[in-house]
Each structure stands twice: as C-alpha cells, then as structure tokens.
Amino acid sequence: MVATFRVFKKIAPNGKLALYLGKRDFVDQLTNVDPVDGVVTVDEDYLKHRKVFGQIIATFRYGREEDEVMGLQFVKELCMASEQIYPVPSEEKSYTLTRMQDRLLTKLGSKAFPFQFQISSNAPNSVTLQPGPDEGGAPCGVSYELKVFVGDSEEDKSHKRSTVKFGIRKIQWAPIKQGRQPCSVIRKEFLLSPGELELETTLDRQVFHQGDPITVNISIRNYSSKIVKRIRISAVQSIDICMFASGHYRATVACVDMQDGCPISPGFTLQKVVEIRPSLEYSCVKRGVAYEGQLKNNDTNLACSTLFLDQEHKDTFGIVVSYSIKVKLFLGALGGEVVAELPFILMRQRPTKKLENTDPQNVDLGVEQLKSSRENTIDTDDQLNDTEDNFIFQDFDRLKLNPGKQD
C-alpha cells in the first residue's frame, strides 16, 4: 500500500524558504492545545550566516481599520510562541517527530528542518465578527498565523521577500458527554387580573453540532384572563469582548414566528414541538455576528460556544461566545410579554477517522490548488501502516511571474 499524506505548502516570494504544514486547524482540548508542527526547507547558501525563526502570532482587532488615523491603531499583536528553526539549537528538543514530519524529512532531504510550537490553553479561540455591508478593511476578531522568516535574531523586522505567513485556527470540538437537559418553567402573575400564565420550555439535549436542527418543546397553560396572541422562538448568540467592560451584545441567528394554535384563550393549553436551525446564512448581513475564523478557500460556520476549564481564567484579548433559545409569548399591548430562555452549546462535531483502502497500482492524489498562488494541498491519510509513502508537490514558480532582486 501507499500512504498518502495531506500537506499544505507555501513558499517565500524569493523561493529560498518553504513551509510544510500537515493541518491548519488546531484543537483546544481544554487542558492543552494540539502542537503546531511542520517542516521548513531553506537554501543554506542564501542565508549567509543568518538564521531562520518561527513564531505563532495572535492578532486581536477590536476596531475598524478605516478608523485608524494619526497613528492610532485598533489592533494588538501577541507572540504566542517563538523558536529558532535553523541552525538547529544545540540543546535537545523536548518533543518527538510526528509521522508526517518523519516522512517529509526523508522526502525533502538534508535541507529540511522540523519545528513544533505549543499554544497556551488559555489563548482565545479564532473568532471573526461580521463587518457591516459598507465597511472595508480587516474584520474585527481574533486570528492566528504561523510566521517563518530569515533574520539575525527573533526581534529583527522580517523582510517580506524572505518571510512565509500561514493562517491557522485554534478551535474547539464538542464534548463527548452530554450535560443536563435544558428545562425552564416560567409562571407569571398579573397585577390587576387573577390567575397565572405558565410557560414550560425544554430542549431535547444540551450540546448541538453545527448544522443540526434544535428541537424546542413548548407547553403553555393559560390559567389567567389574558390571551396569548402569538409565539416567537429565536436562537440568540451572545458575544462578550473581554477587553471592554461594556463589550457585550446579542444577535439573533435564527427565528421562527408561530401563530398555529393561537390565540390561546383563558383556560386553554397548548403543546408544540418546533425545530429551529441556527445558521450563518440567516444572519450573513448582520453586523457583529461572530463566526469562525475563515481560511482561504474554506467555508465557515457560526462561532462555536466557548468552553473553559476554569471560568476565572479568561484571556483579556479573547471573545467569548455563547448561545441560548429564547421563547417569547405576546399577550397584546396591555398584557405585555412572557419570556423564557434556555442556554445550549453549539460546537463542531468531532471527526471520525476512517481507514480507506488504497490500491498501490492506482493511487489518486487529486492535487487541489488553493486561492493563494503559493499554497498547495496534497490529499493524505495518516492512518495507514505501510512501508511506502507518496507525495506530489505542485509548485508555483513565482519568480518567473514577478522577477525581482533578492534581498
């Protein structure tokens, strides 16, 4: 059999530095984050006693780029990890090579050097806030990039022609175990009328995956003299920007107005089961809706709920996202409203690893070229235990299209 590895590749504009990365999404397991590991190839003759460094840069933009005037900037950049990749430091590395790194080093030869970075588990997740239809520039939110550059020290200002920047994401997956079933019972009494109105709302479970419909069970018992004229069920996204004391707001990401069974007169009851599906398409034009950090040539979803191992340890530059189902009963102009709210968790589904049969006589690698002119992907399967590996690299010769002097 032939093992096929998925490898992302990006080359510096001068062609002297290349970065190979096995994946772009790194999962926060609450106690630790998947290490960012890959391989770098360098032209040793080009370096001339310089060194190659790698860094993980977190960018937190909290204001519009078009409002930045007179040197004022609404962005913070934090270096989450830094390491010298070449020459290889004399001290021993505290990590072992992954199977992908080992195969790449064998394939690329003596000019290839491995690296591994560790992101803190307290670091914020990748979240982007939807800009308004008339806004330009970089959107607000938290983003990460892997930066590899040539210089004399880590503090050197990198030259664009000898630098590779690669966008990555820090994400979370849905917990394996379900929590308690969300349930809420609201009883409202009225000042000038006898009796009470009871609203009971339950969800079928606590954790939902992206794209799943949410089943809302509603039970209304009207023991008052009021009349329930209509019902609204909505999925609400709550966004908390930790940097600001007043940075908390909400956005509706799905809504269903229901009049079936209404009006509910005094002494009557109503039981309904309604399905609602939160989606980015519903709120794609709403400013401020949080969605996952977007990578080139990839679709994105609503931002996942933010999970913490310890609620007290929240990063100052983070964006905390949570969700709830809101059920509202409209009783008319004089009756007011009755509202029940149930929190739930919206997360990515954990992928299931599958072992596919590979015919050594007919291997289809299907090279996919990304939008970026210097990024390429090669399909892989890291589960095969075989003795032969297959890599196909489709390089983009940038120097022929944009020739220039070497720095």
Side-chain angles (χ1 to χ4, degrees):
M1 283 189 178
V2 178
T4 311
F5 289 90
R6 178 181 178 84
V7 177
F8 293 94
K9 175 183 177 183
K10 194 168 185 180
I11 307 175
N14 60 12
K16 306 298 183 181
L17 188 68
L19 171 65
Y20 300 84
L21 207 61
K23 56 183 179 181
R24 305 182 73 174
D25 290 336
F26 299 91
V27 182
D28 182 2
Q29 311 286 354
L30 294 184
T31 56
N32 64 287
V33 183
D34 292 347
V36 181
D37 48 47
V39 172
V40 171
T41 58
V42 297
D43 187 342
E44 299 179 12
D45 297 333
Y46 163 75
L47 293 181
K48 299 178 181 179
H49 306 293
R50 291 179 295 178
K51 303 175 182 178
V52 178
F53 299 94
Q55 294 176 344
I56 300 291
I57 306 296
T59 303
F60 175 55
R61 173 165 287 281
Y62 54 91
R64 298 189 301 178
E65 189 175 9
E66 58 190 25
D67 293 337
E68 296 179 346
V69 294
M70 300 180 64
L72 179 65
Q73 291 186 336
F74 301 110
V75 62
K76 297 288 185 182
E77 289 189 355
L78 304 175
C79 182
M80 308 300 295
S82 181
E83 178 183 315
Q84 178 180 316
I85 301 176
Y86 179 85
V88 181
S90 57
E91 61 270 13
E92 295 184 0
K93 297 183 182 295
S94 59
Y95 62 88
T96 57
L97 298 179
T98 63
R99 187 165 183 262
M100 184 272 295
Q101 286 179 307
D102 185 61
R103 296 298 190 270
L104 274 177
L105 293 176
T106 303
K107 178 71 177 181
L108 300 175
S110 60
K111 294 184 179 181
F113 303 93
F115 64 86
Q116 185 179 101
F117 300 101
Q118 191 66 53
I119 304 176
S120 171
S121 58
N122 293 328
N125 294 335
S126 298
V127 177
T128 302
L129 302 183
Q130 176 72 37
D134 57 342
E135 295 180 5
C140 298
V142 180
S143 60
Y144 291 86
E145 67 178 6
L146 172 60
K147 176 182 176 182
V148 179
F149 64 97
V150 175
D152 295 322
S153 66
E154 296 180 3
E155 290 76 18
D156 280 356
K157 184 177 180 180
S158 59
H159 196 285
K160 186 175 182 180
R161 287 185 53 79
S162 59
T163 301
V164 178
K165 293 183 179 180
F166 210 93
I168 59 176
R169 289 191 296 195
K170 178 179 176 289
I171 62 174
Q172 288 181 325
W173 281 338
I176 299 177
K177 297 182 180 180
Q178 288 281 343
R180 292 183 177 181
Q181 182 181 14
C183 178
S184 174
V185 179
I186 303 296
R187 296 182 178 91
K188 183 174 181 179
E189 296 181 351
F190 302 92
L191 182 61
L192 300 178
S193 60
E196 64 180 12
L197 180 63
E198 181 180 296
L199 170 61
E200 181 179 354
T201 309
T202 58
L203 304 181
D204 55 344
R205 61 183 190 271
Q206 184 187 32
V207 181
F208 295 88
H209 299 146
Q210 295 277 6
D212 287 353
I214 300 175
T215 303
V216 185
N217 298 276
I218 303 172
S219 179
I220 303 172
R221 304 174 186 90
N222 191 1
Y223 304 126
S224 69
S225 60
K226 302 295 182 180
I227 299 177
V228 179
K229 297 188 175 182
R230 63 188 178 94
I231 306 170
R232 174 176 294 173
I233 303 98
S234 55
V236 180
Q237 181 189 72
S238 299
I239 302 169
D240 186 11
I241 303 176
C242 301
M243 186 176 184
F244 306 105
S246 59
H248 181 81
Y249 60 96
R250 313 179 80 187
T252 301
V253 293
C255 184
V256 175
D257 280 324
M258 186 180 68
Q259 291 185 335
D260 187 17
C262 297
I264 306 174
S265 301
F268 286 83
T269 62
L270 175 68
Q271 290 187 347
K272 279 290 183 180
V273 178
V274 182
E275 281 192 354
I276 188 171
R277 191 189 303 268
S279 65
L280 187 61
E281 289 76 12
Y282 176 85
S283 52
C284 61
V285 296
K286 292 185 178 180
R287 183 178 185 272
V289 173
Y291 59 91
E292 288 185 332
Q294 190 171 10
L295 297 176
K296 292 182 179 180
N297 208 39
N298 285 352
D299 295 330
T300 188
N301 301 308
L302 288 171
C304 296
S305 300
T306 307
L307 303 181
F308 292 100
L309 187 63
D310 186 358
Q311 292 290 337
E312 299 298 328
H313 294 83
K314 296 181 181 179
D315 193 278
T316 308
F317 300 102
I319 297 177
V320 180
V321 180
S322 59
Y323 292 90
S324 62
I325 292 293
K326 185 177 181 180
V327 179
K328 181 184 292 187
L329 308 183
F330 294 90
L331 310 180
L334 300 178
E337 301 170 348
V338 178
V339 179
E341 198 159 354
L342 288 175
F344 69 95
I345 297 175
L346 182 66
M347 298 291 292
R348 277 172 166 249
Q349 185 176 6
R350 289 178 177 268
T352 55
K353 297 181 180 180
K354 296 181 180 180
L355 181 63
E356 299 178 355
N357 294 327
T358 306
D359 186 359
Q361 302 297 329
N362 185 16
V363 180
D364 183 14
L365 292 180
V367 176
E368 174 193 0
Q369 186 168 0
L370 300 180
K371 287 183 178 179
S372 176
S373 58
R374 301 190 303 278
E375 296 179 12
N376 305 280
T377 66
I378 295 91
D379 296 341
T380 78
D381 187 351
D382 198 26
Q383 298 295 311
L384 297 177
N385 295 320
D386 37 38
T387 58
E388 186 179 355
D389 303 306
N390 200 337
F391 292 92
I392 294 181
F393 300 102
Q394 180 179 346
D395 295 328
F396 181 84
D397 197 348
R398 188 177 182 88
L399 294 179
K400 291 182 180 179
L401 298 180
N402 187 18
K405 297 181 180 179
Q406 297 182 4
D407 59 313

